Amino acid sequence: MGTAAADGGRVVGKVTVTEADGKPAIGAEVVVYVVGYPEPPSTTVTTMTQKDRRFQPELVAITRDETVTFPNKDVFFHNVFSQSTTRPFDLGSFKRDEAKDKQFPSLGVVDVYCNIHPEMAATILVVPNQRHTRAAADGKFTIDGVRPGTWTVFAYTRRATRPASAKVTVVAGADVTAELALVRGAEPAHPNKYGEKYREPSKPYH
Amino acid sequence: MPAVRRAMVLAGVMAVVVPGTARAGRSDFAWLFGSEVLPERGVELQQWVWEEDGKDGPLHTRETSLWWAPTIGITDQLELSLPIEMGWHVDSASAPSFTLQAYGLDARYRFVSQDPVDKPAFAPLVRVAVKRDVTQRDGVIGQADLVGTYDVSDAVQLAADVGFAMEVHSGSRASEYELHPGVGMSVKAVGDLRFGAEAYAELSLQDSTASWAVVGPNLAVTHGRFWLSAAFGIGVYHISYAPRVVWGVLF
């Protein structure tokens, strides 16, 4: 998450998310981030929990070289993996209350899945600086400590057909507003870690 | 995430796309051990089939061996196999025979991370196997290999394997000791298909006439959860040829 930085400005605003049919998207997780300059990573370790056969949260933004931990809070095994070229990994199968970590040294998009449960999907955005945040349930967001200058602010939600973006000119000690709109599509099918179709939907008892 | 959408998000975070790190399989070699192991709690069925043809001079011994094992990832760097071995033996002085030869434990420990991003170019691995030789009243086989693979690039891998094997008997029969050195190279050709060459020898420390050596081409291929490596060893010392096929299926 973004943290306050001296001599910076703030980007504030709101993101609206709609489904492809134009209806408001309920419960969409949205991250908003400013790009254009790098910053060192924080020491924060982001958590992406596996609970109730879902990743929670399903979308996070982290700064390059930061670490994400993946605790399993289900009573059954999960096998978290990514085939992303940005950051491929395979955590193997691990049981309840175990957690495994991965560091993300390259910028880009990392789609994360479970090799056992095809319905589990999440995305990690690895961004160049700490100027990123999650939008609140009502879509409002605030990014503190943005370096003065003209930058692009992006908003993204999983299943969005494209990220939304806007140019902002940040002045030290002042707020600049951005209004962004996203359209969400259907969850695309993905292969398992062997590049194959999943054999069948996972059962509730798995 | 469809490619177009991914590209647009990538643009948003100024992504640097690194080359893929897909590998042809658990091992790129057939006679040599590779340095890859199963992830923790991974399960694989492995099979090795090999022939040693034209050994022992005038006896023209021909041996076909089958090694079959479930393999389990104990940790992300340690795997354990529970093999059974069978063999078919033919020579000009005795009737053909087929028998269960051995069963036991086969452990392989990789010293460095296997993570596609964190792994170093050089990956050492040690293998230790202990087996009961059921063809002998009191035979126990011990095997150890020190393996090193070096990724010259995403496409080229070199490997060296120094193996030691012994069969120990508690009775009057003399124990036997062998060195199993090997080197190889594997080059990515297209997709998940690789070609290369490897040289391998089994050198008896008691009887040089029992030693043999081969060199020949190899290939390795991966398809989904299946991988296969094969080599055709052409005899250069005390053997005619020694083909070997190794495959595994992940579960």
Side-chain angles (χ1 to χ4, degrees):
Chain A
M1 295 294 165
T3 56
D7 302 326
R10 290 202 312 179
V11 179
V12 299
K14 185 174 182 180
V15 182
T16 56
V17 185
T18 54
E19 303 288 0
D21 60 7
K23 294 178 181 173
I26 307 300
E29 296 180 21
V30 177
V31 295
V32 188
Y33 50 98
V34 174
V35 302
Y37 61 94
E39 286 180 334
S42 71
T43 55
T44 304
V45 174
T46 300
T47 299
M48 183 173 270
T49 303
Q50 301 129 69
K51 176 71 176 163
D52 299 331
R53 281 188 294 155
R54 288 185 59 207
F55 289 106
Q56 299 179 12
E58 292 181 338
L59 174 64
V60 296
I62 62 170
T63 307
R64 176 159 63 179
D65 288 329
E66 288 183 352
T67 298
V68 177
T69 187
F70 298 89
N72 181 0
K73 295 297 180 185
D74 276 325
V75 296
F76 34 79
F77 284 78
H78 289 296
N79 181 173
V80 179
F81 76 97
S82 176
Q83 303 280 32
S84 156
T85 55
T86 300
R87 203 334 173 180
F89 63 86
D90 180 1
L91 299 184
S93 297
F94 54 106
K95 62 184 179 184
R96 182 180 193 176
D97 292 333
E98 285 188 5
K100 295 198 176 185
D101 301 341
K102 276 296 161 200
Q103 191 181 29
F104 292 80
S106 298
L107 298 175
V109 182
V110 182
D111 287 323
V112 179
Y113 303 108
C114 175
N115 196 53
I116 303 168
H117 304 102
E119 66 273 36
M120 292 176 65
T123 299
I124 298 169
L125 298 181
V126 187
V127 299
N129 57 46
Q130 297 182 42
R131 303 309 118 199
H132 52 80
T133 190
R134 295 177 68 81
D138 61 3
K140 292 181 179 174
F141 68 89
T142 300
I143 302 176
D144 292 315
V146 180
R147 186 181 294 178
T150 298
W151 315 113
T152 304
V153 57
F154 283 89
Y156 184 70
T157 186
R158 295 201 76 253
R159 297 156 43 194
T161 50
R162 64 186 66 187
S165 65
K167 287 280 186 188
V168 291
T169 298
V170 177
V171 177
D175 288 357
V176 59
T177 301
E179 301 287 333
L180 299 157
L182 289 163
V183 178
R184 196 165 72 163
E187 180 75 38
H190 64 274
N192 65 18
K193 70 179 183 180
Y194 305 113
E196 302 168 338
K197 285 179 65 175
Y198 285 83
R199 289 179 179 172
E200 59 185 36
S202 59
K203 304 292 193 300
Y205 53 81
H206 276 180
Chain B
M1 181 182 293
V4 172
R5 190 180 346 159
R6 173 185 295 279
M8 301 190 74
V9 178
L10 283 171
V13 296
M14 301 187 306
V16 177
V17 177
V18 298
T21 53
R23 292 292 309 281
R26 293 276 325 291
S27 173
D28 296 335
F29 306 93
W31 281 105
L32 316 184
F33 285 96
S35 62
E36 293 182 27
V37 294
L38 288 171
E40 185 175 359
R41 296 192 178 93
V43 179
E44 183 178 75
L45 174 63
Q46 263 189 42
Q47 180 173 288
W48 312 346
V49 184
W50 69 98
E51 251 186 54
E52 298 166 19
D53 195 1
K55 296 196 303 183
D56 302 329
L59 286 179
H60 298 294
T61 301
R62 180 177 190 168
E63 293 173 347
T64 303
S65 301
L66 175 72
W67 182 105
W68 184 94
T71 301
I72 304 152
I74 305 299
T75 71
D76 283 337
Q77 292 176 224
L78 173 66
E79 70 178 16
L80 181 67
S81 296
L82 305 170
I84 58 171
E85 292 182 24
M86 289 164 276
W88 173 262
H89 181 102
V90 180
D91 66 41
S92 55
S94 56
S97 64
F98 175 74
T99 184
L100 173 68
Q101 288 184 322
Y103 64 88
L105 297 171
D106 194 323
R108 283 164 254 175
Y109 180 76
R110 177 184 166 103
F111 289 94
V112 296
S113 169
Q114 203 162 232
D115 182 271
V117 172
D118 298 337
K119 69 177 182 180
F122 177 69
L125 174 143
V126 64
R127 168 189 176 240
V128 177
V130 179
K131 291 179 278 190
R132 169 79 173 95
D133 180 355
V134 298
T135 66
Q136 304 295 326
R137 184 179 181 87
D138 55 1
V140 175
I141 299 168
Q143 294 175 319
D145 286 79
L146 188 57
V147 180
T149 59
Y150 182 76
D151 291 326
V152 179
S153 67
D154 277 347
V156 180
Q157 185 181 73
L158 306 178
D161 181 346
V162 180
F164 175 74
M166 61 181 181
E167 179 154 1
V168 179
H169 306 273
S170 61
S172 58
R173 187 176 172 203
S175 298
E176 299 164 30
Y177 303 93
E178 289 181 349
L179 284 176
H180 296 176
V183 293
M185 181 176 73
S186 177
V187 180
K188 184 177 179 178
V190 58
D192 286 326
L193 177 64
R194 303 176 70 94
F195 293 105
E198 57 193 275
Y200 175 78
E202 295 193 354
L203 308 174
S204 170
L205 301 185
Q206 289 77 45
D207 177 9
S208 63
T209 62
S211 300
W212 56 269
V214 292
V215 61
N218 64 26
L219 69 84
V221 66
T222 296
H223 181 74
R225 60 185 71 230
F226 174 79
W227 62 270
L228 178 147
S229 299
F232 191 86
I234 300 163
V236 293
Y237 184 69
H238 283 178
I239 195 169
S240 298
Y241 56 85
R244 181 174 166 108
V245 178
V246 180
W247 60 258
V249 179
L250 288 147
F251 292 98

